[in-house]
Amino acid sequence: MSSGGGEPQEPQSPTGRRIRDFEFRNSLPRVRSASFSSAAPETVAKSSAASSTSRFGSDAQATVKIVKGEFGYVLEDVPHLTDYLPDLPTYPNPLQDNPAYSVVKQYFVDDDDTVPKKVVVQKDNPRGLHFRRGGPRQKVYFQTDDVHACIVTCGGLCPGLNTVIREIVCGLSHMYGVNKISGIEGGYRGFYARNTIHLTPKSVNDIHKRGGTILGTSRGGHDTCKIVDNIQDRGINQVYIIGGDGTQKGAAAIFEEIRRRGLKVAVAGIPKTIDNDIAVIDKSFGFDTAVEEAQRAINAAHVEAGSVHNGIGIVKLMGRYSGFIAMYATLASRDVLLKLLLIDTGPGGLYEYMEKRLKENGHMVIVVAEGAGQDLIEESMKAMNHQDASGNKLLLDVGLWLSQGIKNYFASSTKTEINLKYIDPTYMIRAIPSNASDNVYCTLLAHSAVHGAMAGYTGFTAGLVNGRHTYIPFERVTETRNKVVITDRMWARLLSSTNQPSFLSSKDVEEANTAEVQVKQTEEQPKKTEDEEKVTGNGSI
């Protein structure tokens, strides 16, 4: 089912309107002509020094492509193969002959379609940042028989990994007729240290019913040059990388090395983490499943605590410093006390409040995020600076520490006998298959990535922004991590639902507000181009 070749043509949309095609026609950087409104926007395409050298083995330079239009409109675009290979031919999209899509009206996405990062604005506000909308294009940059795709999973486990693998394979095969798809075993190091496996729709048919990843995974092992050497030697021209923010930083380094070598290889990322801490996107896949499973652990703690006199159940949930699993699982359970980010054990703090709740209710449940209280226990554990192979700080077990502190308080201060049960469902939560909601989400993410790679986009992460699938530059999803904001309305809803005090001092609130403002300013500002950095003194002339 190979598509026919030909010279690049001006595509037509299903409605007959001409698609305004972005093109780079010489070497980078170039100014790209485009029209997003009645007035031609100011367009900038530059290269700015951005990411990193240390863990990823090469000097990665993020290519920033900015399109500016009227009323403050700013498109932060993703790279395209024609940015550095300007004379690539295009081919008709095989989907136009696919019977499954023959009845779909306006299936192809117009190249002018973008998605705003911020959907709620005031009347005098600029339109703000936009991202390129994901989906199939009428023209593709790969012939079916020439595609050799590979898929790799990195980092920790997450519900939905196998679903994403399955849908990339089935999407490439069923929609585009691609037959050569390889699975890289064991994470990034699998590119040069282990064998690959051939993936077909038949071999992946039932994998979405299992937890984990059939490809295996690992942390670390990223050697950019070795990985790209392997990609080049094997003739791979589409790379699908599934992982969290550390993995996406590695994907950015791989893309930059590929671009430097001038290879026709599309690199697409699919963001993965049950922590839901990846910036820009609405949520990461596996999060809904994790919250659902975490709720079961909370319910078990509630049964244990409620079945004995002065019963206390403590549940420690994953999430590093983000805290979203703990917050949403608590909101779903309704009847627990959450001490998430700040653990105040002084006068009027957590322990005294627990004593009061036990007298009133006879039992209670506490949910704590794994990143809470680290500053309080670092002196006794002496491990705060330890890191795993991905560079993530190894967190101390706040659940065990808190359990012992509660026992000591009630034994010494109140002479009250308590029955405490500690539940840590960490690996149970991330090792299960994804639920129905995440399965659907994984399917759409995988298909979006496939459409983007076939259309020649590269150096992007596929993600949901305001309910629409988009292509986001790697540096946008790795520059910061989302965290629960203890001064916003969702946190207030949680406090109200669980009928607990905030335990926050005025200093805590001030620090939280300052951090929130800084994050918002970072996210809302478009990336500086090289010329702008020189003007502000951040670059050298």
Side-chain angles (χ1 to χ4, degrees), residues 243-259:
D245 67 322
T247 300
Q248 301 303 310
K249 289 176 183 176
I254 291 171
F255 158 69
E256 291 295 344
E257 179 63 16
I258 286 172
R259 181 184 66 85

Side-chain angles (χ1 to χ4, degrees), residues 289-299 315 317 325-326 329 333 425 429:
T289 306
V291 169
E292 189 173 299
E293 190 68 11
Q295 187 181 349
R296 293 191 179 97
I298 293 173
N299 291 341
V315 182
L317 295 176
I325 295 178
S333 298
I429 286 176

Side-chain angles (χ1 to χ4, degrees), residues 17 48 54 86 97 123 130 205 211 263 323 329 352 395 423 490:
R17 184 165 64 87
S48 76
S54 55
D97 301 318
K123 63 181 180 180
H130 286 231
N205 184 54
L263 304 178
E352 291 186 7
L395 299 177
I423 297 176
M490 184 57 78

Side-chain angles (χ1 to χ4, degrees), residues 183-236:
I184 307 298
E185 295 186 300
Y188 275 136
R189 60 170 53 92
F191 276 100
Y192 52 86
R194 298 188 64 176
N195 293 328
T196 61
I197 57 176
H198 180 57
L199 300 175
T200 66
K202 183 176 181 180
S203 69
V204 301
N205 184 54
D206 294 326
I207 65 172
H208 62 290
K209 299 176 183 178
R210 309 179 220 164
T213 164
I214 63 165
L215 299 179
T217 184
S218 65
R219 296 188 184 276
H222 189 286
D223 187 316
T224 304
C225 289
K226 283 185 179 180
I227 291 172
V228 177
D229 286 345
N230 190 271
I231 290 171
Q232 194 169 1
D233 291 344
R234 296 187 188 206
I236 294 170

